[in-house]
Amino acid sequence: MRLIAHISDLHFGRHDPGIADALVDEISDKHPDLVVLSGDLTQRARMNEFVQARRFLDRIAQPVLVVPGNHDIPLYNLAHRFFSPLRKFQRHIPSGIGGNDWYSDHELAVLGLNTARGLTFKSGRVSLNQMSLIRRTFAHIPDTAWRIVVTHHPIASPRGEARIELAGRSVLALRAIADAGVHLLLSGHHHHPVSGHASTELVLNNAILVVHAGTAVSTRTRDGEENSYNLIRLDGAHASVETMKWRPDSGFQPIDGARYGLRAGHMEPE
Ligand SMILES: [Fe+2]
Ligand SMILES: [Fe+2]
């Protein structure tokens, strides 16, 4: 069994310090095998915001896989934005080459892809190199391991949701992801959390489960939505997604949940 805490869109600089402290305690209590942080660690990619984000990450005992978001590249410093967009992110945040990241154990293989770009500031994009990275990376992973891709910008839209803006080249990327046998896609950016069937989707003939996270600690909540994060349990051939929403009087509480079974390479609701 593997437990993943999926947090996103922290936006240090526009965050609630009390909720950030509570999230550290919450993660410590839940004791996940892996924490996935799907981007937008800062509000404006400022030095002091990255320092706060780093201090937050240093308080988490578990392994953390992190990818940058569009808010983690400079907006106003055009030289840095176009020529070294990840300079500050990589100076302060432990991460892989080019903002991509990787975690694996015998039950899990998780590839984080940097979709944040200086040129397409808000929308993000998957590069052709990243599509080959997806195919290469999962080629040697045993069939028994859960395969997961993490991006800041969503690559697929949840069924039943109003269409949201996806990362550039997402159709091509989705083909590479399906070919690589990926089971789950985790993303953030839209500050709209997963909510059982309403916010998770099975795509490509039910082969892939899409999970979006809300904003965990930022005050930039959308349409009055609470702060939230996702708890993802992967147990044998079963996956469950639980959205934990912040309640000022009782902390993070499970509000929505959905459960899926993996049968012959397809995820089916249970
Ligand atoms: Fe965000
Ligand atoms: Fe974003």
Side-chain angles (χ1 to χ4, degrees), residues 229-259:
Y229 79 99
N230 297 325
L231 273 180
I232 301 169
R233 276 185 192 78
L234 304 168
D235 193 358
H238 304 279
S240 70
V241 182
E242 200 167 38
T243 300
M244 307 291 291
K245 291 194 176 178
W246 172 254
R247 297 281 186 263
D249 49 348
S250 52
F252 285 101
Q253 299 293 327
I255 301 301
D256 293 314
R259 191 174 154 88

PDB file of all heavy atoms in Angstrom, residues 229-259:
ATOM      1  N   TYR A 229      -6.229  19.677   0.195  1.00  0.00           N
ATOM      2  CA  TYR A 229      -5.212  18.839  -0.448  1.00  0.00           C
ATOM      3  C   TYR A 229      -5.828  17.459  -0.665  1.00  0.00           C
ATOM      4  O   TYR A 229      -6.938  17.181  -0.175  1.00  0.00           O
ATOM      5  CB  TYR A 229      -3.930  18.788   0.400  1.00  0.00           C
ATOM      6  CG  TYR A 229      -3.979  17.852   1.579  1.00  0.00           C
ATOM      7  CD1 TYR A 229      -3.421  16.581   1.502  1.00  0.00           C
ATOM      8  CD2 TYR A 229      -4.590  18.232   2.772  1.00  0.00           C
ATOM      9  CE1 TYR A 229      -3.460  15.714   2.583  1.00  0.00           C
ATOM     10  CE2 TYR A 229      -4.633  17.364   3.849  1.00  0.00           C
ATOM     11  CZ  TYR A 229      -4.075  16.115   3.754  1.00  0.00           C
ATOM     12  OH  TYR A 229      -4.132  15.253   4.814  1.00  0.00           O
ATOM     13  N   ASN A 230      -5.141  16.597  -1.399  1.00  0.00           N
ATOM     14  CA  ASN A 230      -5.670  15.258  -1.699  1.00  0.00           C
ATOM     15  C   ASN A 230      -4.842  14.180  -1.009  1.00  0.00           C
ATOM     16  O   ASN A 230      -3.620  14.272  -0.958  1.00  0.00           O
ATOM     17  CB  ASN A 230      -5.623  14.980  -3.209  1.00  0.00           C
ATOM     18  CG  ASN A 230      -6.489  15.933  -3.998  1.00  0.00           C
ATOM     19  OD1 ASN A 230      -7.548  16.338  -3.534  1.00  0.00           O
ATOM     20  ND2 ASN A 230      -6.034  16.289  -5.183  1.00  0.00           N
ATOM     21  N   LEU A 231      -5.532  13.169  -0.524  1.00  0.00           N
ATOM     22  CA  LEU A 231      -4.865  11.956  -0.040  1.00  0.00           C
ATOM     23  C   LEU A 231      -5.182  10.843  -1.021  1.00  0.00           C
ATOM     24  O   LEU A 231      -6.351  10.539  -1.258  1.00  0.00           O
ATOM     25  CB  LEU A 231      -5.392  11.571   1.344  1.00  0.00           C
ATOM     26  CG  LEU A 231      -4.723  12.189   2.557  1.00  0.00           C
ATOM     27  CD1 LEU A 231      -5.393  11.686   3.834  1.00  0.00           C
ATOM     28  CD2 LEU A 231      -3.226  11.893   2.595  1.00  0.00           C
ATOM     29  N   ILE A 232      -4.144  10.258  -1.598  1.00  0.00           N
ATOM     30  CA  ILE A 232      -4.324   9.223  -2.617  1.00  0.00           C
ATOM     31  C   ILE A 232      -3.772   7.911  -2.069  1.00  0.00           C
ATOM     32  O   ILE A 232      -2.593   7.829  -1.719  1.00  0.00           O
ATOM     33  CB  ILE A 232      -3.591   9.624  -3.911  1.00  0.00           C
ATOM     34  CG1 ILE A 232      -4.147  10.960  -4.417  1.00  0.00           C
ATOM     35  CG2 ILE A 232      -3.729   8.532  -4.973  1.00  0.00           C
ATOM     36  CD1 ILE A 232      -3.334  11.584  -5.519  1.00  0.00           C
ATOM     37  N   ARG A 233      -4.646   6.905  -1.975  1.00  0.00           N
ATOM     38  CA  ARG A 233      -4.224   5.573  -1.500  1.00  0.00           C
ATOM     39  C   ARG A 233      -4.167   4.615  -2.663  1.00  0.00           C
ATOM     40  O   ARG A 233      -5.119   4.513  -3.438  1.00  0.00           O
ATOM     41  CB  ARG A 233      -5.223   5.032  -0.477  1.00  0.00           C
ATOM     42  CG  ARG A 233      -4.976   5.517   0.901  1.00  0.00           C
ATOM     43  CD  ARG A 233      -5.902   4.892   1.950  1.00  0.00           C
ATOM     44  NE  ARG A 233      -5.780   5.630   3.203  1.00  0.00           N
ATOM     45  CZ  ARG A 233      -6.348   6.803   3.436  1.00  0.00           C
ATOM     46  NH1 ARG A 233      -7.107   7.355   2.516  1.00  0.00           N
ATOM     47  NH2 ARG A 233      -6.157   7.430   4.580  1.00  0.00           N
ATOM     48  N   LEU A 234      -3.054   3.917  -2.790  1.00  0.00           N
ATOM     49  CA  LEU A 234      -2.870   2.931  -3.859  1.00  0.00           C
ATOM     50  C   LEU A 234      -2.600   1.600  -3.186  1.00  0.00           C
ATOM     51  O   LEU A 234      -1.561   1.410  -2.554  1.00  0.00           O
ATOM     52  CB  LEU A 234      -1.692   3.340  -4.751  1.00  0.00           C
ATOM     53  CG  LEU A 234      -1.828   4.744  -5.354  1.00  0.00           C
ATOM     54  CD1 LEU A 234      -0.521   5.194  -5.980  1.00  0.00           C
ATOM     55  CD2 LEU A 234      -2.957   4.790  -6.366  1.00  0.00           C
ATOM     56  N   ASP A 235      -3.570   0.712  -3.280  1.00  0.00           N
ATOM     57  CA  ASP A 235      -3.505  -0.523  -2.514  1.00  0.00           C
ATOM     58  C   ASP A 235      -3.786  -1.693  -3.449  1.00  0.00           C
ATOM     59  O   ASP A 235      -4.943  -1.902  -3.832  1.00  0.00           O
ATOM     60  CB  ASP A 235      -4.538  -0.464  -1.377  1.00  0.00           C
ATOM     61  CG  ASP A 235      -4.306  -1.573  -0.369  1.00  0.00           C
ATOM     62  OD1 ASP A 235      -3.387  -2.391  -0.578  1.00  0.00           O
ATOM     63  OD2 ASP A 235      -5.053  -1.625   0.626  1.00  0.00           O
ATOM     64  N   GLY A 236      -2.757  -2.437  -3.804  1.00  0.00           N
ATOM     65  CA  GLY A 236      -2.950  -3.524  -4.751  1.00  0.00           C
ATOM     66  C   GLY A 236      -3.496  -2.973  -6.058  1.00  0.00           C
ATOM     67  O   GLY A 236      -2.857  -2.149  -6.704  1.00  0.00           O
ATOM     68  N   ALA A 237      -4.706  -3.416  -6.427  1.00  0.00           N
ATOM     69  CA  ALA A 237      -5.314  -2.949  -7.680  1.00  0.00           C
ATOM     70  C   ALA A 237      -6.379  -1.888  -7.419  1.00  0.00           C
ATOM     71  O   ALA A 237      -7.250  -1.652  -8.265  1.00  0.00           O
ATOM     72  CB  ALA A 237      -5.916  -4.125  -8.421  1.00  0.00           C
ATOM     73  N   HIS A 238      -6.321  -1.228  -6.260  1.00  0.00           N
ATOM     74  CA  HIS A 238      -7.338  -0.232  -5.915  1.00  0.00           C
ATOM     75  C   HIS A 238      -6.693   1.132  -5.652  1.00  0.00           C
ATOM     76  O   HIS A 238      -5.637   1.210  -5.032  1.00  0.00           O
ATOM     77  CB  HIS A 238      -8.117  -0.665  -4.672  1.00  0.00           C
ATOM     78  CG  HIS A 238      -8.752  -2.015  -4.826  1.00  0.00           C
ATOM     79  ND1 HIS A 238      -9.944  -2.208  -5.491  1.00  0.00           N
ATOM     80  CD2 HIS A 238      -8.328  -3.229  -4.424  1.00  0.00           C
ATOM     81  CE1 HIS A 238     -10.238  -3.489  -5.498  1.00  0.00           C
ATOM     82  NE2 HIS A 238      -9.272  -4.137  -4.858  1.00  0.00           N
ATOM     83  N   ALA A 239      -7.372   2.173  -6.134  1.00  0.00           N
ATOM     84  CA  ALA A 239      -6.911   3.548  -5.892  1.00  0.00           C
ATOM     85  C   ALA A 239      -8.067   4.345  -5.301  1.00  0.00           C
ATOM     86  O   ALA A 239      -9.202   4.224  -5.766  1.00  0.00           O
ATOM     87  CB  ALA A 239      -6.466   4.190  -7.205  1.00  0.00           C
ATOM     88  N   SER A 240      -7.792   5.134  -4.276  1.00  0.00           N
ATOM     89  CA  SER A 240      -8.831   6.034  -3.773  1.00  0.00           C
ATOM     90  C   SER A 240      -8.264   7.435  -3.649  1.00  0.00           C
ATOM     91  O   SER A 240      -7.071   7.626  -3.397  1.00  0.00           O
ATOM     92  CB  SER A 240      -9.376   5.544  -2.425  1.00  0.00           C
ATOM     93  OG  SER A 240      -8.405   5.701  -1.428  1.00  0.00           O
ATOM     94  N   VAL A 241      -9.136   8.407  -3.902  1.00  0.00           N
ATOM     95  CA  VAL A 241      -8.758   9.821  -3.823  1.00  0.00           C
ATOM     96  C   VAL A 241      -9.688  10.497  -2.840  1.00  0.00           C
ATOM     97  O   VAL A 241     -10.914  10.462  -2.997  1.00  0.00           O
ATOM     98  CB  VAL A 241      -8.887  10.511  -5.194  1.00  0.00           C
ATOM     99  CG1 VAL A 241      -8.431  11.972  -5.101  1.00  0.00           C
ATOM    100  CG2 VAL A 241      -8.085   9.771  -6.250  1.00  0.00           C
ATOM    101  N   GLU A 242      -9.116  11.103  -1.815  1.00  0.00           N
ATOM    102  CA  GLU A 242      -9.906  11.765  -0.788  1.00  0.00           C
ATOM    103  C   GLU A 242      -9.492  13.237  -0.759  1.00  0.00           C
ATOM    104  O   GLU A 242      -8.302  13.531  -0.652  1.00  0.00           O
ATOM    105  CB  GLU A 242      -9.592  11.108   0.560  1.00  0.00           C
ATOM    106  CG  GLU A 242     -10.605  11.315   1.622  1.00  0.00           C
ATOM    107  CD  GLU A 242     -10.346  10.356   2.785  1.00  0.00           C
ATOM    108  OE1 GLU A 242      -9.169  10.110   3.120  1.00  0.00           O
ATOM    109  OE2 GLU A 242     -11.313   9.862   3.344  1.00  0.00           O
ATOM    110  N   THR A 243     -10.450  14.130  -0.892  1.00  0.00           N
ATOM    111  CA  THR A 243     -10.138  15.556  -0.785  1.00  0.00           C
ATOM    112  C   THR A 243     -10.312  15.996   0.661  1.00  0.00           C
ATOM    113  O   THR A 243     -11.382  15.834   1.242  1.00  0.00           O
ATOM    114  CB  THR A 243     -11.058  16.386  -1.700  1.00  0.00           C
ATOM    115  OG1 THR A 243     -10.856  15.956  -3.043  1.00  0.00           O
ATOM    116  CG2 THR A 243     -10.716  17.868  -1.609  1.00  0.00           C
ATOM    117  N   MET A 244      -9.236  16.537   1.219  1.00  0.00           N
ATOM    118  CA  MET A 244      -9.234  16.998   2.610  1.00  0.00           C
ATOM    119  C   MET A 244      -9.373  18.517   2.598  1.00  0.00           C
ATOM    120  O   MET A 244      -8.485  19.225   2.109  1.00  0.00           O
ATOM    121  CB  MET A 244      -7.921  16.605   3.289  1.00  0.00           C
ATOM    122  CG  MET A 244      -7.565  15.123   3.175  1.00  0.00           C
ATOM    123  SD  MET A 244      -8.656  14.060   4.129  1.00  0.00           S
ATOM    124  CE  MET A 244      -8.190  14.499   5.802  1.00  0.00           C
ATOM    125  N   LYS A 245     -10.505  19.014   3.090  1.00  0.00           N
ATOM    126  CA  LYS A 245     -10.745  20.470   3.047  1.00  0.00           C
ATOM    127  C   LYS A 245     -10.543  21.097   4.421  1.00  0.00           C
ATOM    128  O   LYS A 245     -10.842  20.494   5.446  1.00  0.00           O
ATOM    129  CB  LYS A 245     -12.159  20.735   2.536  1.00  0.00           C
ATOM    130  CG  LYS A 245     -12.312  20.383   1.065  1.00  0.00           C
ATOM    131  CD  LYS A 245     -13.586  20.962   0.470  1.00  0.00           C
ATOM    132  CE  LYS A 245     -13.631  20.656  -1.029  1.00  0.00           C
ATOM    133  NZ  LYS A 245     -14.851  21.145  -1.663  1.00  0.00           N
ATOM    134  N   TRP A 246     -10.075  22.328   4.367  1.00  0.00           N
ATOM    135  CA  TRP A 246      -9.759  23.049   5.598  1.00  0.00           C
ATOM    136  C   TRP A 246     -11.017  23.599   6.246  1.00  0.00           C
ATOM    137  O   TRP A 246     -11.844  24.247   5.593  1.00  0.00           O
ATOM    138  CB  TRP A 246      -8.801  24.199   5.291  1.00  0.00           C
ATOM    139  CG  TRP A 246      -8.556  25.107   6.456  1.00  0.00           C
ATOM    140  CD1 TRP A 246      -9.038  26.370   6.636  1.00  0.00           C
ATOM    141  CD2 TRP A 246      -7.760  24.816   7.609  1.00  0.00           C
ATOM    142  NE1 TRP A 246      -8.594  26.891   7.830  1.00  0.00           N
ATOM    143  CE2 TRP A 246      -7.804  25.945   8.448  1.00  0.00           C
ATOM    144  CE3 TRP A 246      -7.018  23.704   8.015  1.00  0.00           C
ATOM    145  CZ2 TRP A 246      -7.130  26.004   9.660  1.00  0.00           C
ATOM    146  CZ3 TRP A 246      -6.345  23.763   9.235  1.00  0.00           C
ATOM    147  CH2 TRP A 246      -6.404  24.898  10.036  1.00  0.00           C
ATOM    148  N   ARG A 247     -11.158  23.326   7.523  1.00  0.00           N
ATOM    149  CA  ARG A 247     -12.229  23.884   8.327  1.00  0.00           C
ATOM    150  C   ARG A 247     -11.579  24.649   9.485  1.00  0.00           C
ATOM    151  O   ARG A 247     -10.804  24.042  10.242  1.00  0.00           O
ATOM    152  CB  ARG A 247     -13.121  22.772   8.897  1.00  0.00           C
ATOM    153  CG  ARG A 247     -13.839  21.961   7.827  1.00  0.00           C
ATOM    154  CD  ARG A 247     -15.052  22.743   7.316  1.00  0.00           C
ATOM    155  NE  ARG A 247     -15.864  21.985   6.408  1.00  0.00           N
ATOM    156  CZ  ARG A 247     -15.789  22.056   5.082  1.00  0.00           C
ATOM    157  NH1 ARG A 247     -14.889  22.834   4.506  1.00  0.00           N
ATOM    158  NH2 ARG A 247     -16.599  21.364   4.318  1.00  0.00           N
ATOM    159  N   PRO A 248     -11.879  25.956   9.623  1.00  0.00           N
ATOM    160  CA  PRO A 248     -11.184  26.740  10.651  1.00  0.00           C
ATOM    161  C   PRO A 248     -11.329  26.162  12.048  1.00  0.00           C
ATOM    162  O   PRO A 248     -10.420  26.273  12.874  1.00  0.00           O
ATOM    163  CB  PRO A 248     -11.875  28.111  10.556  1.00  0.00           C
ATOM    164  CG  PRO A 248     -12.444  28.161   9.179  1.00  0.00           C
ATOM    165  CD  PRO A 248     -12.796  26.752   8.811  1.00  0.00           C
ATOM    166  N   ASP A 249     -12.472  25.503  12.339  1.00  0.00           N
ATOM    167  CA  ASP A 249     -12.671  25.007  13.701  1.00  0.00           C
ATOM    168  C   ASP A 249     -12.186  23.574  13.894  1.00  0.00           C
ATOM    169  O   ASP A 249     -11.978  23.144  15.021  1.00  0.00           O
ATOM    170  CB  ASP A 249     -14.167  25.105  14.079  1.00  0.00           C
ATOM    171  CG  ASP A 249     -15.052  24.513  12.991  1.00  0.00           C
ATOM    172  OD1 ASP A 249     -14.531  24.249  11.889  1.00  0.00           O
ATOM    173  OD2 ASP A 249     -16.249  24.306  13.255  1.00  0.00           O
ATOM    174  N   SER A 250     -11.979  22.838  12.822  1.00  0.00           N
ATOM    175  CA  SER A 250     -11.603  21.432  13.018  1.00  0.00           C
ATOM    176  C   SER A 250     -10.436  20.980  12.143  1.00  0.00           C
ATOM    177  O   SER A 250     -10.142  19.786  12.087  1.00  0.00           O
ATOM    178  CB  SER A 250     -12.821  20.538  12.750  1.00  0.00           C
ATOM    179  OG  SER A 250     -13.393  20.843  11.498  1.00  0.00           O
ATOM    180  N   GLY A 251      -9.789  21.891  11.429  1.00  0.00           N
ATOM    181  CA  GLY A 251      -8.629  21.513  10.614  1.00  0.00           C
ATOM    182  C   GLY A 251      -9.043  20.825   9.322  1.00  0.00           C
ATOM    183  O   GLY A 251     -10.155  20.985   8.839  1.00  0.00           O
ATOM    184  N   PHE A 252      -8.108  20.075   8.734  1.00  0.00           N
ATOM    185  CA  PHE A 252      -8.391  19.389   7.458  1.00  0.00           C
ATOM    186  C   PHE A 252      -9.319  18.192   7.704  1.00  0.00           C
ATOM    187  O   PHE A 252      -9.033  17.348   8.553  1.00  0.00           O
ATOM    188  CB  PHE A 252      -7.082  18.928   6.809  1.00  0.00           C
ATOM    189  CG  PHE A 252      -6.311  20.052   6.181  1.00  0.00           C
ATOM    190  CD1 PHE A 252      -5.211  20.609   6.835  1.00  0.00           C
ATOM    191  CD2 PHE A 252      -6.684  20.582   4.951  1.00  0.00           C
ATOM    192  CE1 PHE A 252      -4.500  21.655   6.270  1.00  0.00           C
ATOM    193  CE2 PHE A 252      -5.973  21.624   4.367  1.00  0.00           C
ATOM    194  CZ  PHE A 252      -4.880  22.169   5.032  1.00  0.00           C
ATOM    195  N   GLN A 253     -10.411  18.132   6.949  1.00  0.00           N
ATOM    196  CA  GLN A 253     -11.405  17.070   7.102  1.00  0.00           C
ATOM    197  C   GLN A 253     -11.701  16.437   5.749  1.00  0.00           C
ATOM    198  O   GLN A 253     -11.762  17.147   4.742  1.00  0.00           O
ATOM    199  CB  GLN A 253     -12.711  17.647   7.677  1.00  0.00           C
ATOM    200  CG  GLN A 253     -12.576  18.278   9.038  1.00  0.00           C
ATOM    201  CD  GLN A 253     -12.235  17.250  10.116  1.00  0.00           C
ATOM    202  OE1 GLN A 253     -12.658  16.101  10.038  1.00  0.00           O
ATOM    203  NE2 GLN A 253     -11.434  17.661  11.091  1.00  0.00           N
ATOM    204  N   PRO A 254     -11.937  15.114   5.704  1.00  0.00           N
ATOM    205  CA  PRO A 254     -12.283  14.482   4.423  1.00  0.00           C
ATOM    206  C   PRO A 254     -13.684  14.908   3.986  1.00  0.00           C
ATOM    207  O   PRO A 254     -14.643  14.759   4.731  1.00  0.00           O
ATOM    208  CB  PRO A 254     -12.237  12.977   4.749  1.00  0.00           C
ATOM    209  CG  PRO A 254     -12.386  12.887   6.229  1.00  0.00           C
ATOM    210  CD  PRO A 254     -11.872  14.161   6.817  1.00  0.00           C
ATOM    211  N   ILE A 255     -13.797  15.467   2.788  1.00  0.00           N
ATOM    212  CA  ILE A 255     -15.090  15.949   2.301  1.00  0.00           C
ATOM    213  C   ILE A 255     -15.587  15.108   1.126  1.00  0.00           C
ATOM    214  O   ILE A 255     -16.733  14.675   1.110  1.00  0.00           O
ATOM    215  CB  ILE A 255     -14.995  17.433   1.877  1.00  0.00           C
ATOM    216  CG1 ILE A 255     -14.550  18.284   3.064  1.00  0.00           C
ATOM    217  CG2 ILE A 255     -16.336  17.924   1.335  1.00  0.00           C
ATOM    218  CD1 ILE A 255     -15.454  18.238   4.269  1.00  0.00           C
ATOM    219  N   ASP A 256     -14.717  14.886   0.146  1.00  0.00           N
ATOM    220  CA  ASP A 256     -15.121  14.092  -1.012  1.00  0.00           C
ATOM    221  C   ASP A 256     -14.183  12.907  -1.150  1.00  0.00           C
ATOM    222  O   ASP A 256     -13.001  13.005  -0.851  1.00  0.00           O
ATOM    223  CB  ASP A 256     -15.025  14.925  -2.296  1.00  0.00           C
ATOM    224  CG  ASP A 256     -16.039  16.040  -2.294  1.00  0.00           C
ATOM    225  OD1 ASP A 256     -17.196  15.765  -1.966  1.00  0.00           O
ATOM    226  OD2 ASP A 256     -15.658  17.177  -2.619  1.00  0.00           O
ATOM    227  N   GLY A 257     -14.721  11.818  -1.646  1.00  0.00           N
ATOM    228  CA  GLY A 257     -13.868  10.654  -1.875  1.00  0.00           C
ATOM    229  C   GLY A 257     -14.366   9.852  -3.060  1.00  0.00           C
ATOM    230  O   GLY A 257     -15.553   9.861  -3.384  1.00  0.00           O
ATOM    231  N   ALA A 258     -13.443   9.185  -3.731  1.00  0.00           N
ATOM    232  CA  ALA A 258     -13.816   8.317  -4.847  1.00  0.00           C
ATOM    233  C   ALA A 258     -12.844   7.144  -4.859  1.00  0.00           C
ATOM    234  O   ALA A 258     -11.680   7.289  -4.468  1.00  0.00           O
ATOM    235  CB  ALA A 258     -13.744   9.075  -6.163  1.00  0.00           C
ATOM    236  N   ARG A 259     -13.335   5.986  -5.317  1.00  0.00           N
ATOM    237  CA  ARG A 259     -12.512   4.774  -5.295  1.00  0.00           C
ATOM    238  C   ARG A 259     -12.575   4.100  -6.656  1.00  0.00           C
ATOM    239  O   ARG A 259     -13.636   4.076  -7.297  1.00  0.00           O
ATOM    240  CB  ARG A 259     -13.060   3.848  -4.198  1.00  0.00           C
ATOM    241  CG  ARG A 259     -12.179   2.691  -3.865  1.00  0.00           C
ATOM    242  CD  ARG A 259     -12.774   1.931  -2.663  1.00  0.00           C
ATOM    243  NE  ARG A 259     -12.348   0.538  -2.677  1.00  0.00           N
ATOM    244  CZ  ARG A 259     -11.245   0.104  -2.113  1.00  0.00           C
ATOM    245  NH1 ARG A 259     -10.456   0.937  -1.474  1.00  0.00           N
ATOM    246  NH2 ARG A 259     -10.909  -1.175  -2.169  1.00  0.00           N
TER     247      ARG A 259
END
